[in-house]
C-alpha cells in the first residue's frame, strides 16, 4: 500500500471525487494514528529513546495540509507528523528512522538521526550550496524541541512574501516567489502560547501585516497543567480579541475551529488561507477540543492527572472517531470499506516500521560481525583471554546492538591485547566514519563556506581620505545596497534616522523602506525575522542596537541559527548577519562584553570582533560571499575615530579565523581584540620606554579562532604571553588561553606563567571612572607585564 498524498482541492468536485478525497484523508489519519501507537511501543520496548507523537491532531492537520501550496513555508513543532505525511514532505518509514536515530540521510533525510521524531525538514540548498527552486515545492523548516522556538523565525518567513511583493528586483526571483503569494504556516501547542515568543511573534506579524497563519492545537493541558493556569480567560483566542483586525486598523483575523469537525475546518480554511495569501493579513486559528489518546509523551501517563470523565470525553470526541461517524452518517463509506481501509493502514505502518528498523540495524550488524572476527584473531595479553572471550560473548548475544556497543566492546578488547593490529586499524576507521555521521555540518561543507572565501586585502592610494568610522561604515553600506539587491537591513532606529551611530544615515531614503527599515523594540523577533528572511533567499542584516541586549535575542540564535546546518546535515541554512556594537561606553547595560556567553552559545556561527570600521566592512564582505551566519560586533567607541577609506571598500575581505599581528615585538605577546586594543596601545607606549618590546595580535574573530596558529608562532619568539579583553574573568580571555595553551601546545614555549587580564566579575559601573575601574586599564596592563618581565 502506498502512502498517498492529498493535494489541495483545486476545483469544484463531483461527489465521487469528493468521496475519494475524504477517504484518502481518512486513510492518512489512520496511518498517522497507527504510527503514533507503534512509535510509543518502540520506545517502551527500548528500541527508541523517547517519543512524542501527534495522535489526536490528525484531522485538523489534514485540513490544514489541503491548503498548503508549493512555495509555502511551514514552521511548526513536534506533533505535526500528519501534516508532514499529508504534504508528502515525509514518509512513515522516515518517521520511524528518525525515531530510531538512524544517522543515514538516505533513511532520515530530515535530520540524519540528530533530532528526535517528527522534526521534519525539506532541503533548501543543493550539494553545491546553491538555493533550490523553493517556489515549486512545499517547504518545511527544521523543527525544534524548545517550546515556541519555532515562532520567531515564522515572522521572517512571512515577511519575505511581503518584501518579495514590494521589492521589484526580488520579485523577479522566480525560483523564490510567486508575487509574494506564499503563506507561512506556523503551529504551536496551546500551553506554549504562554511563552513570550508567541506574543512577540503575533504582535510583530499584526503590526507588519504579513501572511502568517498560526494554528494553535488546544488539548486543554500543558503536560499536566490545565489551561486555566496557563492562559488568561482559559482561551488564547479570547485573550487575543484586541488583535482582531477591523476597518482602518492593523491586526489579524481570529478563528475558532473544532478539531473533530473535518468538514467545518475545510470550509473555513479554504476561504481564510486565500484571504491571507492575497491580503497579507495574518490569522490565528484556535483549534479547540483536541484530544491526546496517549498523553503527552512516552515519559509519563496522563491517567495520573486527568479525571475519568475527561478521559472518557477524549475517547468519545477523538477526531478520527468523529470523522468516521460523519462519513457513515453522510453515506461516504460503509463500515466494511472503512474496516478494510483501517486494516490496510495498520499493515502499511507495521511494514514501514519493520523496514526502517532493518535498514537502521543492517550496517550495525555488519560492524558487529567484523568486530567479532577481529576480536577472535586478537593476541591477548597475559591472563586476558577469558576477558576477551567474555566481550565476544556479550556482543554476540546483543540482539539489538548500536554503534556505541560496537565501539566500546572493540576498544576494551584492544586494551587487553598485546598486538591489536587489524582491530586497531578498524577501530580508527570506525571513529572516522562515526565522526562523519554524528559530528559533521556544524558549518557549511561546500564552496559556500566562509572559510573558502579568498582573502583580498584592503587597498589604499594617495587619494584615500581619512574619515570618521561611522562615515566609513555608512559608505560601505551605501555601496553594498547599490550592488546587492538581496540585502535588507532592519532594527531599532535603523531606518528613518539611520541607526543611533549613523551607519545607515540617508540610506532609507535612497534605497526605500522596504530594504532598510525600523522595527519595534523586540530583539527576539528581530532575530527571528532575520532567520526566516535568510531561509527564503534574502541576505538580511539584523541589528541589535547594543551588545548587552543580544541576550533578548539569544535563544533563536543559539537554538535555531547555530544548529540549523548541523541538525539538517547541511540541507538547510540561514545566512543571517547580526550587526551590533559594544564593549566600552558608560553604564551597566551599554558597555557590556559578554563574549564568553556568546562564543559558548553560538557554535555554528561566526563571531567577528573588528577593531575598526574598515575591518568590519571586510568581515561583512566575507560573510556575504558565504552561506553562513555571523555576528559582527562593531566598537561602540570607534565611530568617531579617523580611518583611511579603502579604494575597494565593497570588495576586500577579511579571512575568518586568521589573526593579524598589528605590532611586531620580541619580549611579550599581547593577544586581544576590539576596543581593548586601543587601551593596549596606550600601555605599550610606556612599556616601550621601559625597554619592553611588545608584539600585539588582534585575533579578529573568536569563532573560528586562529586556525593557522599565528599566536603560537608569536609565542615561540617571545616566550611570554598575556590575553586581555573586557569580558568577565573566565570568559573570552580564558577561552583564548585554552586555545593557545592547550590546543596549540603553547605551554611548551613559556618562560613565565601566562596571564589573563579581564574586566571585573561585576557589570561595569557607570561613568568614566566606573569604566576605568571595571575594565582593563593601561596602568593595570603595564603593571602585569612588568611583573612578567621580572620573573
Amino acid at each position: 500500500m502506498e502512502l498517498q498524498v492529498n493535494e489541495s482541492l483545486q476545483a469544484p468536485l463531483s461527489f465521487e471525487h469528493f468521496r475519494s478525497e475524504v477517504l484518502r484523508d481518512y486513510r492518512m489519519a489512520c496511518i498517522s494514528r497507527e504510527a503514533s501507537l507503534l512509535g510509543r511501543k518502540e520506545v517502551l520496548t527500548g528500541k527508541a529513546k523517547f517519543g512524542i507523537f501527534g495522535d489526536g491532531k490528525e484531522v485538523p492537520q489534514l485540513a490544514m495540509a489541503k491548503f498548503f501550496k508549493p512555495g509555502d513555508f511551514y514552521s511548526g513543532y513536534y506533533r505535526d507528523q500528519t501534516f508532514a505525511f499529508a504534504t508528502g514532505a515525509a514518509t512513515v518509514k522516515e518517521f520511524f528512522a528518525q525515531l530510531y536515530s538512524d544517522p543515514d540521510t538516505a533513511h532520515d533525510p530530515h535530520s540524519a538521526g540528530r533530532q528526535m521524531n517528527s522534526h521534519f525538514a525539506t532541503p533548501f540548498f543543493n550539494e553545491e550550496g546553491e538555493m533550490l527552486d523553493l517556489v515549486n515545492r512545499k517547504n518545511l523548516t527544521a523543527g525544534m524541541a524548545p517550546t515556541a522556538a519555532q515562532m520567531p523565525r515564522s515572522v521572517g518567513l512571512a515577511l519575505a512574501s511581503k518584501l518579495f511583493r514590494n521589492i521589484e528586483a526580488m520579485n523577479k526571483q522566480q525560483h523564490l516567489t510567486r508575487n509574494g503569494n506564499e503563506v507561512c504556516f506556523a503551529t504551536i501547542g496551546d500551553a506554549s502560547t504562554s511563552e513570550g515568543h508567541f506574543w512577540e511573534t503575533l504582535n510583530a506579524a499584526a503590526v507588519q501585516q504579513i501572511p502568517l497563519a498560526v494554528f494553535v492545537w488546544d488539548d486543554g493541558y500543558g503536560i499536566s497543567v490545565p489551561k486555566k493556569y496557563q492562559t488568561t480567560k482559559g482561551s488564547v483566542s479570547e485573550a487575543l480579541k484586541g488583535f482582531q483586525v477591523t476597518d482602518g486598523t492593523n491586526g489579524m483575523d481570529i478563528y475558532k475551529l473544532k478539531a473533530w469537525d473535518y468538514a467545518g475546518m475545510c470550509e473555513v480554511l479554504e476561504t481564510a488561507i486565500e484571504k491571507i495569501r492575497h491580503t497579507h493579513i495574518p490569522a490565528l486559528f484556535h483549534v479547540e477540543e483536541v484530544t491526546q489518546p496517549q498523553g503527552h509523551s512516552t515519559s509519563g501517563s496522563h491517567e495520573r492527572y486527568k479525571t475519568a470523565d475527561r478521559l472518557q470525553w477524549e475517547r468519545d470526541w477523538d477526531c478520527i472517531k468523529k470523522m468516521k461517524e460523519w462519513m457513515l452518517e453522510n453515506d461516504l463509506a460503509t463500515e466494511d470499506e472503512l474496516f478494510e481501509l483501517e486494516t490496510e493502514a495498520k499493515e502499511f505502518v507495521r511494514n514501514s516500521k519493520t523496514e526502517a528498523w532493518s535498514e537502521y540495524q543492517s550496517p550495525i550488524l555488519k560492524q558487529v560481525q567484523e568486530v567479532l572476527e577481529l576480536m577472535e584473531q586478537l593476541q591477548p595479553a597475559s591472563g586476558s583471554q577469558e576477558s576477551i572471550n567474555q566481550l565476544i560473548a556479550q556482543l554476540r548475544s546483543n540482539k539489538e546492538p548500536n554503534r556505541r556497543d560496537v565501539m566500546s566492546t572493540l576498544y576494551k578488547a584492544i586494551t587487553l591485547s598485546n598486538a591489536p593490529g587489524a582491530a586497531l586499524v578498524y577501530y580508527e576507521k570506525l571513529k572516522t566514519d562515526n565522526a562523519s555521521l554524528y559530528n559533521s555540518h556544524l558549518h557549511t561543507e561546500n564552496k559556500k563556506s566562509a572559510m573558502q572565501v579568498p582573502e583580498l586585502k584592503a587597498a589604499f592610494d594617495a587619494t584615500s581620505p581619512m574619515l570618521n568610522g561611522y562615515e566609513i561604515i555608512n559608505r560601505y553600506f551605501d555601496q553594498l545596497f547599490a550592488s546587492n539587491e538581496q540585502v535588507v537591513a532592519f532594527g531599532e532606529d535603523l531606518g528613518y534616522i539611520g541607526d543611533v551611530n549613523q551607519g545607515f544615515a540617508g540610506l532609507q531614503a535612497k534605497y526605500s523602506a522596504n530594504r532598510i527599515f525600523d522595527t519595534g523594540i523586540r530583539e527576539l523577533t528581530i532575530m527571528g525575522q532575520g532567520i526566516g528572511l535568510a531561509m527564503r533567499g534574502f541576505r538580511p542584516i539584523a541589528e541589535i542596537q547594543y551588545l548587552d541586549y543580544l541576550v533578548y535575542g539569544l535563544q533563536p540564535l543559539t537554538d535555531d541559527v547555530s544548529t540549523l546546518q548541523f541538525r539538517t546535515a547541511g540541507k538547510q541554512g540561514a545566512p543571517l548577519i547580526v550587526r551590533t556594537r559594544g564593549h566600552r561606553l558608560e553604564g551597566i547595560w551599554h558597555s557590556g562584553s559578554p563574549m564568553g556567553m556568546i562564543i559558548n552559545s553560538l557554535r555554528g556561527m561566526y563571531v567577528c570582533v573588528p577593531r575598526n570600521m574598515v575591518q568590519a566592512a571586510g568581515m561583512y564582505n566575507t560573510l556575504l560571499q558565504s552561506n553562513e551566519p555571523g555576528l559582527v560586533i562593531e566598537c561602540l567607541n570607534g565611530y568617531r575615530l579617523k580611518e583611511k577609506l579603502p579604494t575597494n571598500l565593497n570588495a576586500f575581505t577579511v579571512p575568518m579565523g586568521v589573526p593579524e599581528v598589528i605590532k611586531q615585538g620580541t619580549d611579550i605577546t599581547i593577544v586581544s581584540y576590539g576596543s581593548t586594543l586601543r587601551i593596549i596601545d596606550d600601555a605599550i607606549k610606556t612599556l616601550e620606554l621601559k625597554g619592553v618590546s611588545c608584539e600585539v595580535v588582534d585575533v579578529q574573530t573568536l569563532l573560528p579562532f586562529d586556525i593557522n596558529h599565528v599566536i603560537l608562532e608569536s609565542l615561540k619568539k617571545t616566550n611570554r604571553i598575556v590575553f586581555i579583553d573586557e569580558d568577565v574573568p573566565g570568559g573570552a580571555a580564558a577561552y583564548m588561553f585554552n586555545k593557545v595553551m592547550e590546543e596549540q601546545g603553547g605551554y611548551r614555549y613559556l618562560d613565565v606563567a601566562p596571564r589573563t587580564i579581564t574586566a571585573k566579575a561585576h557589570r561595569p559601573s557607570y561613568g568614566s571612572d566606573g569604566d576605568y575601574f571595571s575594565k582593563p586599564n593601561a596602568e593595570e596592563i603595564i603593571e602585569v607585564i612588568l611583573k612578567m618581565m621580572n620573573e
Side-chain angles (χ1 to χ4, degrees):
M1 173 184 166
E2 295 182 357
L3 182 64
Q4 294 174 299
V5 176
N6 182 24
E7 295 295 340
S8 299
L9 302 174
Q10 300 295 324
L13 302 177
S14 67
F15 177 78
E16 274 306 312
H17 194 175
F18 172 70
R19 177 178 181 274
S20 174
E21 289 280 350
V22 173
L23 285 172
R24 184 178 299 165
D25 278 351
Y26 184 72
R27 177 185 293 113
M28 190 70 75
C30 293
I31 286 171
S32 185
R33 177 62 61 86
E34 188 65 17
S36 294
L37 296 174
L38 290 187
R40 182 179 179 87
K41 290 180 180 177
E42 293 301 276
V43 174
L44 298 181
T45 57
K47 286 185 176 179
K49 274 288 185 183
F50 178 75
I52 195 160
F53 306 104
D55 47 307
K57 300 171 178 64
E58 295 91 352
V59 174
Q61 288 182 22
L62 286 166
M64 177 177 73
K66 295 176 96 62
F67 308 103
F68 187 74
K69 294 183 177 181
D72 287 343
F73 280 76
Y74 156 89
S75 182
Y77 85 138
Y78 42 73
R79 296 192 190 274
D80 292 341
Q81 71 205 43
T82 310
F83 176 80
F85 297 158
T87 56
T91 67
V92 176
K93 190 162 74 169
E94 290 168 358
F95 167 86
F96 280 104
Q98 197 171 56
L99 186 67
Y100 300 138
S101 66
D102 190 330
D104 190 333
T105 54
H107 303 153
D108 171 18
H110 306 278
S111 73
R114 295 172 181 190
Q115 297 220 91
M116 69 181 191
N117 67 292
S118 295
H119 288 68
F120 303 109
T122 55
F124 293 171
F125 299 108
N126 63 21
E127 292 183 356
E128 297 299 313
E130 302 296 338
M131 207 151 213
L132 297 170
D133 178 0
L134 301 183
V135 80
N136 290 308
R137 61 176 66 208
K138 296 177 179 180
N139 306 289
L140 275 63
T141 59
M144 291 179 287
T147 55
Q150 72 276 17
M151 298 306 295
R153 78 152 84 105
S154 68
V155 177
L157 293 169
L159 177 62
S161 292
K162 179 179 180 179
L163 297 186
F164 278 129
R165 186 175 285 183
N166 293 338
I167 300 173
E168 184 177 357
M170 289 301 289
N171 199 355
K172 296 175 182 177
Q173 301 280 345
Q174 295 184 5
H175 66 300
L176 299 178
T177 190
R178 192 174 284 111
N179 195 37
N181 290 337
E182 305 79 27
V183 175
C184 174
F185 288 57
T187 66
I188 186 170
D190 180 68
S192 296
T193 65
S194 297
E195 296 277 14
H197 293 51
F198 173 81
W199 295 92
E200 192 169 317
T201 293
L202 262 61
N203 183 60
V207 168
Q208 296 183 105
Q209 295 291 273
I210 55 179
L212 177 63
V214 178
F215 292 80
V216 177
W217 311 134
D218 185 356
D219 58 27
Y221 289 84
I223 306 183
S224 67
V225 180
K227 64 182 181 180
K228 67 180 180 180
Y229 298 122
Q230 304 261 8
T231 308
T232 300
K233 301 182 186 299
S235 168
V236 69
S237 54
E238 290 295 310
L240 281 165
K241 277 188 172 179
F243 276 58
Q244 176 63 54
V245 67
T246 57
D247 290 343
T249 71
N250 56 18
M252 64 195 315
D253 287 314
I254 299 173
Y255 302 87
K256 286 187 179 183
L257 304 173
K258 301 300 183 186
W260 45 266
D261 184 6
Y262 172 80
M265 286 187 291
C266 290
E267 182 179 1
V268 171
L269 290 175
E270 183 174 19
T271 303
I273 298 298
E274 279 305 299
K275 180 181 179 182
I276 298 170
R277 198 175 298 283
H278 293 296
T279 67
H280 283 188
I281 297 173
L284 175 88
F285 299 94
H286 183 192
V287 183
E288 300 178 291
E289 299 184 17
V290 178
T291 65
Q292 263 190 343
Q294 298 185 110
H296 174 74
S297 71
T298 56
S299 63
S301 168
H302 59 160
E303 285 83 3
R304 291 184 299 160
Y305 53 85
K306 290 179 181 175
T307 66
D309 287 345
R310 172 69 191 194
L311 291 168
Q312 184 58 49
W313 179 90
E314 292 198 9
R315 288 188 287 271
D316 293 341
W317 290 88
D318 181 279
C319 63
I320 296 180
K321 178 178 181 292
K322 299 303 285 185
M323 184 178 181
K324 182 176 182 178
E325 291 173 359
W326 172 77
M327 293 168 67
L328 293 171
E329 289 170 3
N330 288 276
D331 296 324
L332 292 169
T334 66
E335 287 274 12
D336 289 343
E337 285 177 310
L338 296 182
F339 177 77
E340 182 179 355
L341 186 152
E342 292 159 4
T343 302
E344 290 175 354
K346 290 179 180 180
E347 182 181 2
F348 172 74
V349 174
R350 282 195 299 270
N351 290 339
S352 296
K353 173 187 71 71
T354 301
E355 290 174 18
W357 178 253
S358 176
E359 289 177 353
Y360 166 63
Q361 281 281 281
S362 180
I364 300 175
L365 294 175
K366 182 179 178 182
Q367 288 181 12
V368 168
Q369 190 57 42
E370 293 186 37
V371 165
L372 287 172
E373 293 174 2
L374 288 167
M375 289 198 305
E376 288 171 349
Q377 298 168 14
L378 284 174
Q379 298 178 16
S382 176
S384 63
Q385 183 64 61
E386 183 58 32
S387 296
I388 291 179
N389 290 341
Q390 289 176 0
L391 291 172
I392 291 171
Q394 289 171 4
L395 187 58
R396 183 173 283 126
S397 64
N398 191 338
K399 302 301 182 186
E400 296 173 354
N402 54 38
R403 287 174 171 82
R404 180 186 64 182
D405 298 326
V406 174
M407 294 293 288
S408 177
T409 303
L410 180 56
Y411 183 78
K412 289 174 183 176
I414 289 170
T415 62
L416 294 169
S417 173
N418 276 329
L424 182 58
V425 172
Y426 188 64
Y427 178 78
E428 293 299 327
K429 177 185 181 300
L430 289 181
K431 280 176 65 176
T432 301
D433 292 346
N434 288 326
S436 177
L437 290 176
Y438 294 99
N439 309 121
S440 63
H441 293 96
L442 180 62
H443 289 282
T444 296
E445 296 185 359
N446 54 44
K447 65 181 182 180
K448 291 292 187 176
S449 166
M451 302 303 291
Q452 294 192 32
V453 175
E455 180 182 9
L456 178 63
K457 292 187 178 298
F460 305 90
D461 61 25
T463 64
S464 296
M466 294 292 291
L467 300 176
N468 290 317
Y470 78 88
E471 294 175 299
I472 297 278
I473 206 69
N474 181 263
R475 291 200 185 191
Y476 169 72
F477 287 131
D478 190 3
Q479 293 181 25
L480 174 63
F481 274 76
S483 63
N484 191 335
E485 63 194 21
Q486 294 175 286
V487 179
V488 294
F490 47 87
E492 299 159 15
D493 300 305
L494 185 97
Y496 184 71
I497 70 168
D499 94 38
V500 291
N501 295 101
Q502 298 297 284
F504 278 89
L507 299 186
Q508 185 184 76
K510 190 171 183 178
Y511 296 105
S512 88
N514 289 313
R515 295 187 65 195
I516 300 170
F517 51 96
D518 292 310
T519 69
I521 299 176
R522 52 175 180 84
E523 288 84 0
L524 179 79
T525 49
I526 290 173
M527 297 298 94
Q529 194 163 291
I531 296 166
L533 287 170
M535 285 180 158
R536 291 200 59 187
F538 285 88
R539 296 309 304 260
I541 299 173
E543 178 168 309
I544 297 291
Q545 197 164 93
Y546 297 106
L547 181 59
D548 302 81
Y549 298 104
L550 185 71
V551 175
Y552 279 82
L554 190 62
Q555 189 275 327
L557 294 180
T558 184
D559 285 337
D560 200 351
V561 179
S562 297
T563 67
L564 184 56
Q565 293 184 91
F566 169 78
R567 59 193 162 88
T568 62
K571 289 184 174 61
Q572 291 187 4
L576 162 70
I577 294 177
V578 180
R579 178 193 182 219
T580 188
R581 56 193 64 81
H583 304 314
R584 305 185 80 101
L585 187 64
E586 310 291 346
I588 291 178
W589 285 285
H590 291 80
S591 57
S593 187
M595 304 307 298
M597 176 191 74
I598 288 168
I599 58 181
N600 287 307
S601 59
L602 299 186
R603 303 298 171 97
M605 290 184 70
Y606 291 86
V607 175
C608 304
V609 283
R611 66 183 180 271
N612 57 39
M613 301 307 145
V614 169
Q615 294 297 93
M619 292 170 180
Y620 288 124
N621 286 334
T622 300
L623 291 169
L624 285 164
Q625 289 187 41
S626 78
N627 264 354
E628 303 207 66
L631 170 66
V632 180
I633 304 168
E634 298 171 8
C635 293
L636 189 51
N637 61 358
Y639 291 111
R640 298 207 174 262
L641 298 179
K642 298 293 184 181
E643 300 180 45
K644 185 176 284 191
L645 179 70
T647 57
N648 59 344
L649 184 62
N650 197 227
F652 86 97
T653 56
V654 173
M656 300 288 104
V658 181
E660 181 182 356
V661 178
I662 58 176
K663 182 186 178 302
Q664 298 285 339
T666 57
D667 291 330
I668 188 166
T669 298
I670 304 173
V671 181
S672 191
Y673 57 86
S675 298
T676 306
L677 290 166
R678 287 188 277 279
I679 306 299
I680 292 168
D681 187 57
D682 287 342
I684 62 177
K685 292 172 184 175
T686 299
L687 289 166
E688 296 280 350
L689 291 174
K690 291 182 173 292
V692 181
S693 175
C694 301
E695 181 146 302
V696 181
V697 182
D698 175 9
V699 302
Q700 300 203 100
T701 66
L702 288 167
L703 292 178
F705 181 85
D706 192 10
I707 60 172
N708 298 327
H709 293 189
V710 170
I711 299 170
L712 182 67
E713 292 306 309
S714 174
L715 178 58
K716 288 178 180 179
K717 177 172 59 173
T718 67
N719 306 116
R720 298 178 183 86
I721 193 166
V722 59
F723 302 89
I724 309 175
D725 83 333
E726 300 178 60
D727 199 0
V728 296
Y735 162 82
M736 295 188 291
F737 182 102
N738 166 262
K739 287 286 186 180
V740 177
M741 292 297 102
E742 182 179 348
E743 290 189 17
Q744 298 184 13
Y747 66 90
R748 297 185 183 94
Y749 306 99
L750 293 171
D751 284 347
V752 301
R755 303 289 205 281
T756 62
I757 302 175
T758 69
K760 302 302 183 284
H762 54 74
R763 294 291 183 102
S765 299
Y766 176 60
S768 298
D769 284 344
D771 179 80
Y772 179 86
F773 291 107
S774 301
K775 299 286 189 80
N777 56 61
E779 289 70 32
E780 180 184 10
I781 293 169
I782 293 166
E783 184 178 356
V784 170
I785 290 177
L786 287 177
K787 284 181 180 179
M788 293 176 70
M789 295 304 300
N790 291 325
E791 287 183 9

